[in-house]
Amino acid sequence: MREAARELGVSFSLLKNRNIPLFLPAFLIGPAMFTAYSSTLAQHMSTYFGWTLAQTNYLLSPLTLLKLIMIAFLPSATGFLTNPSGRFRLSVFSKDLLLIRPTA
């Protein structure tokens, strides 16, 4: 119990850094915004094309599959891009920049 209380104290001490409390709402708002966006998109497409929501969701499922493939691909891409004896030899920061650019 003491260990848990100590770890909780350490966690709360992180909130003294003013950047962390300013950044936390993004994690609370982000999933809600994604849910609202995807459901609004599905409703709009079903109305526009005259499809049922089930038919519309067939179009949205490849997006989810693509995200899962990307998640599975990232560790090998990271190793390939940062390998010191490899072709690219990127630093960690350069690798992150290269991987994030297509999503921006």
Side-chain angles (χ1 to χ4, degrees), residues 7-101:
E7 288 182 11
L8 185 62
V10 170
S11 298
F12 280 128
S13 70
L14 290 174
L15 295 176
K16 291 177 184 175
N17 181 345
R18 73 176 183 145
N19 292 328
I20 292 177
L22 291 174
F23 190 67
L24 283 177
F27 290 106
L28 300 174
I29 295 170
M33 287 178 56
F34 175 75
T35 302
Y37 172 73
S38 62
S39 66
T40 304
L41 178 64
Q43 289 174 4
H44 171 71
M45 288 172 39
S46 72
T47 303
Y48 186 80
F49 294 110
W51 299 340
T52 65
L53 285 175
Q55 290 171 322
T56 305
N57 284 329
Y58 283 124
L59 290 177
L60 297 178
S61 57
L63 294 175
T64 304
L65 183 62
L66 179 64
K67 289 178 185 178
L68 289 173
I69 291 170
M70 289 301 295
I71 289 172
F73 171 73
L74 280 177
S76 60
T78 298
F80 179 72
L81 292 171
T82 58
N83 186 357
S85 62
R87 176 180 177 186
F88 296 102
R89 299 183 201 122
L90 295 176
S91 69
V92 175
F93 298 112
S94 299
K95 178 257 318 173
D96 288 343
L97 180 63
L98 180 71
L99 291 176
I100 200 68
R101 275 190 178 156

